[in-house]
Amino acid sequence: MQNELDIPIDIHLNKLLDWLTSRRICPHDWQKNVITIRKMINSAIQDMPAVDEIAQLLAGTYINYFHCLQIVDILKTTESSSKNIFGQYSSQRMKDWLEIVKLYEKDSIYLGEAAQLLIRNIVYELPSLKRQLMKAQQTQEECIKKEADYAKNEHAMRENYATSCQQIEIEGKNIKKELLSLLDDLPDALNAISASAKDLVHVRNYYVSFLNFTLNRDAESICVPMLKHIIEKGNTTTFEWRTGEPPEVIEVTTPVIPLDVESGSTDAADDQIDFGDFGAHSESGDDRSSSSPNGDFVHVDKEECKPDNSDQVDFGDSEINWDISVDTSASISVIDSPGSNEGSKVARGVDALTVLENEATRDAFYNDLLELEAFVSQRILECESSVSDALSSSIFHNAPASLQIQSVESFRKMENDVKNIASQLMTTKLKHLYLIKSSSRYVDRLVDSLKSKLETAERMVECQKAVKIKYQEAVEEQRSLKPKIDLIVEKTKILLNQVEQDISKRYKNRVVNIMGGLSALQNITH
């Protein structure tokens, strides 16, 4: 039969207090006596000898009964001179601590306090510190990730800004001044397009011949008239297009560059683009389809450029949207066919604009290019189809030689020539210039749109700085928590062993195991 002394006493940590009170080791009301003892300890600790051993003993821990025993042992050495012939100490320090030990040992109150301290440290305080430590580590990981995201977003916005400036062909140092100075390049650019349009004469001639043969009538006057006008006469005034005769006098109002070009706003009267007579005969602000040179532009609004307050920021496409409302105070004059001479040879307002500066005539030119491109593309499809090839052979049997000798390669060259002129007319830079010339407020909108990219990049820099500060705070918190946790774990292990040994002495030195104590401490340290 197994000896009773060999059977260990297993006590669960959460049941330790109940176990002590149920076996009458300490009373149920032990806590009210602890209050008196704590007051005496707080008073006695104010008058302690300058001994490193005592300072190390009391550092970073809650003073309990076992600490008091160690303090008494130390005082026996430091206060030995106060011992009288009867073996009693006359030192008040020793008397105070001996009284504290005596009160602790009455009804084993110290065991109740030690059990409560074990439960508080293992079940509550250490897990809470562990969670703070893990949160600090998690904060560091999040800060590293956020800093990388902010740096990526900053780079993306600066690249977006550089790309936008490159598309508009400005440096981006003084945005407003550079945008307004681009207006000087508009006439030369449009004249270059006009000169390039002369290369399409063979494509238009083929188109006219095709219509003459298929319609069996002269199509010269109805076939892409604006393209014909530009090929024959170049980028003339709108007046010459309308009347068929060049004007004798051209009254042009040149836009005035604002004096305050550093400012991003043109709210002041002196900081406006002066469009003169253009305001009375402004270009159409009607919505255009994607086939229009100014079609499908998105309104550029400053509020839309502001990012939200989330960590992960979405920067979208680098393209600048085009759908803006153009200031108009009157509708565009109707494009009359050439020859409608009104008797006046003075070109003013819209009539003073060239046909490629005028939105309506520019749209007509662009539509002519699209019509020509669609015609050539269709001819390519017909030539590549065997069924259509047989049908075309029968239809064009009596056609002029110029219509029969064309090949797929020649049609593809025609198509590329037309697309090349259309692409020159619709570059990003020219789209901006069209809008700058037609809207006095578009410059401010474009400036705000570009500046918002740099402002967003600067905000990303500030966010990176804030995240770095937060990261350092988390590192410092981790550094302060780690030694604190290690100290409490070490002291708690000592207290756990002392309680087990004290209970063991009461039961003939049987082995006592406080379950859930040491294992919990090991889990916290790992």
Side-chain angles (χ1 to χ4, degrees):
M1 183 176 180
Q2 187 177 7
N3 190 355
E4 181 182 359
L5 296 178
D6 296 333
I7 301 175
I9 301 175
D10 296 333
I11 310 171
H12 198 279
L13 178 64
N14 292 332
K15 301 294 184 181
L16 180 57
L17 270 176
D18 295 336
W19 189 90
L20 293 173
T21 55
S22 64
R23 284 157 180 76
R24 301 181 184 278
I25 296 176
C26 61
H28 291 279
D29 59 349
W30 61 270
Q31 288 181 330
K32 67 179 183 180
N33 296 322
V34 170
I35 298 175
T36 303
I37 297 173
R38 299 312 306 178
K39 290 181 180 179
M40 294 182 64
I41 290 175
N42 292 334
S43 177
I45 204 171
Q46 304 299 324
D47 181 28
M48 295 296 292
V51 179
D52 293 339
E53 190 176 355
I54 292 179
Q56 185 178 1
L57 177 68
L58 302 180
T61 186
Y62 182 87
I63 301 176
N64 56 54
Y65 165 76
F66 300 101
H67 292 140
C68 295
L69 292 179
Q70 296 179 39
I71 292 174
V72 170
D73 290 339
I74 295 173
L75 290 177
K76 286 180 182 179
T77 302
T78 60
E79 306 295 324
S80 59
S81 60
S82 65
K83 193 173 183 181
N84 58 29
I85 59 175
F86 299 104
Q88 297 177 342
Y89 292 90
S90 60
S91 170
Q92 186 62 39
R93 293 174 181 170
M94 180 62 79
K95 290 179 180 180
D96 291 342
W97 287 103
L98 288 175
E99 180 65 19
I100 291 171
V101 171
K102 182 179 178 181
L103 291 175
Y104 260 133
E105 291 176 346
K106 183 181 179 181
D107 296 330
S108 300
I109 291 176
Y110 68 92
L111 273 180
E113 184 188 50
Q116 186 185 54
L117 187 59
L118 285 174
I119 295 173
R120 186 180 70 185
N121 286 351
I122 297 175
V123 178
Y124 299 106
E125 187 168 357
L126 283 173
S128 176
L129 293 175
K130 181 70 173 180
R131 286 192 295 270
Q132 292 181 35
L133 181 63
M134 294 177 64
K135 185 177 180 180
Q137 294 173 344
Q138 182 181 0
T139 300
Q140 295 175 42
E141 295 175 358
E142 291 177 352
C143 287
I144 293 174
K145 182 179 178 182
K146 285 183 178 180
E147 184 179 359
D149 290 341
Y150 288 140
K152 181 180 178 181
N153 292 337
E154 178 201 356
H155 178 73
M157 290 309 298
R158 295 194 187 279
E159 287 290 328
N160 194 333
Y161 176 78
T163 301
S164 300
C165 291
Q166 186 178 6
Q167 291 175 346
I168 309 172
E169 299 183 18
I170 63 174
E171 293 183 11
K173 296 180 180 179
N174 191 330
I175 303 174
K176 188 173 182 181
K177 183 177 181 179
E178 293 173 13
L179 286 174
L180 293 173
S181 64
L182 288 179
L183 288 176
D184 297 335
D185 301 335
L186 183 59
D188 292 339
L190 296 180
N191 289 333
I193 294 174
S194 173
S196 299
K198 298 181 183 299
D199 297 336
L200 301 181
V201 62
H202 67 289
V203 184
R204 182 183 178 277
N205 290 339
Y206 178 81
Y207 187 28
V208 171
S209 299
F210 183 89
L211 292 179
N212 288 340
F213 176 75
T214 55
L215 299 178
N216 198 21
R217 66 186 179 90
D218 186 9
E220 178 68 27
S221 60
I222 64 173
C223 181
V224 287
M226 182 56 67
L227 176 60
K228 175 187 177 183
H229 176 81
I230 291 178
I231 289 175
E232 293 177 351
K233 298 184 179 182
N235 188 25
T236 65
T237 62
T238 305
F239 179 89
E240 185 172 350
W241 155 253
R242 287 198 312 106
T243 64
E245 297 181 5
E248 296 177 352
V249 179
I250 301 177
E251 297 180 357
V252 178
T253 304
T254 304
V256 178
I257 298 178
L259 297 177
D260 185 15
V261 293
E262 299 293 337
S263 173
S265 173
T266 58
D267 293 335
D270 293 337
D271 196 18
Q272 293 285 344
I273 302 176
D274 183 7
F275 286 84
D277 293 340
F278 299 156
H281 304 279
S282 60
E283 300 181 35
S284 174
D286 296 340
D287 293 335
R288 301 282 180 181
S289 65
S290 59
S291 62
S292 170
N294 293 330
D296 291 340
F297 296 145
V298 178
H299 176 75
V300 179
D301 188 64
K302 185 174 182 180
E303 295 298 326
E304 295 178 357
C305 299
K306 293 182 179 179
D308 54 30
N309 296 325
S310 64
D311 291 331
Q312 206 59 12
V313 178
D314 181 12
F315 296 94
D317 193 7
S318 63
E319 291 292 333
I320 295 179
N321 295 325
W322 302 100
D323 189 7
I324 73 159
S325 57
V326 177
D327 267 350
T328 58
S329 59
S331 59
I332 188 66
S333 58
V334 179
I335 304 176
D336 299 326
S337 59
S340 58
N341 194 344
E342 298 177 355
S344 174
K345 292 189 178 182
V346 178
R348 60 172 61 91
V350 175
D351 281 347
L353 297 175
T354 64
V355 290
L356 292 183
E357 286 179 334
N358 187 346
E359 181 186 7
T361 51
R362 184 174 64 246
D363 286 351
F365 175 64
Y366 188 71
N367 290 334
D368 286 350
L369 294 177
L370 294 180
E371 179 182 346
L372 207 57
E373 179 184 343
F375 164 72
V376 177
S377 299
Q378 182 63 33
R379 293 295 295 136
I380 293 174
L381 291 176
E382 292 174 355
C383 290
E384 291 177 342
S385 173
S386 58
V387 176
S388 298
D389 186 56
L391 182 60
S392 297
S393 298
S394 61
I395 294 177
F396 291 95
H397 179 70
N398 296 323
S402 61
L403 296 179
Q404 299 187 37
I405 62 174
Q406 300 296 336
S407 63
V408 176
E409 289 73 16
S410 63
F411 284 132
R412 291 194 185 280
K413 185 179 183 305
M414 292 181 185
E415 184 182 38
N416 291 333
D417 291 341
V418 175
K419 287 183 176 179
N420 182 44
I421 302 301
S423 64
Q424 291 182 38
L425 188 67
M426 293 303 297
T427 61
T428 302
K429 176 183 178 181
L430 287 182
K431 287 179 181 179
H432 283 294
L433 292 181
Y434 300 150
L435 293 170
I436 291 172
K437 194 170 183 64
S438 63
S439 173
S440 60
R441 291 181 295 178
Y442 178 71
V443 177
D444 290 335
R445 296 174 183 173
L446 185 55
V447 168
D448 290 339
S449 174
L450 292 174
K451 283 187 175 180
S452 69
K453 301 177 189 296
L454 289 181
E455 291 171 357
T456 302
E458 292 301 323
R459 282 196 292 271
M460 293 300 101
V461 173
E462 294 300 322
C463 289
Q464 290 179 63
K465 293 179 181 179
V467 166
K468 288 180 180 178
I469 295 175
K470 189 175 181 181
Y471 174 82
Q472 290 299 328
E473 291 176 350
V475 170
E476 293 299 326
E477 183 179 5
Q478 180 180 354
R479 289 176 181 172
S480 62
L481 286 173
K482 194 66 172 64
K484 185 176 181 180
I485 291 174
D486 294 340
L487 179 61
I488 295 177
V489 168
E490 180 184 355
K491 298 289 185 180
T492 304
K493 285 182 179 179
I494 295 173
L495 181 61
L496 183 67
N497 184 52
Q498 290 171 338
V499 171
E500 289 178 344
Q501 291 179 359
D502 189 281
I503 297 175
S504 176
K505 291 176 183 178
R506 297 171 185 269
Y507 290 91
K508 301 179 181 180
N509 293 325
R510 289 174 62 184
V511 177
V512 176
N513 297 319
I514 298 179
M515 310 299 292
L518 187 61
S519 60
L521 292 175
Q522 291 174 346
N523 291 334
I524 290 174
T525 55
H526 290 84

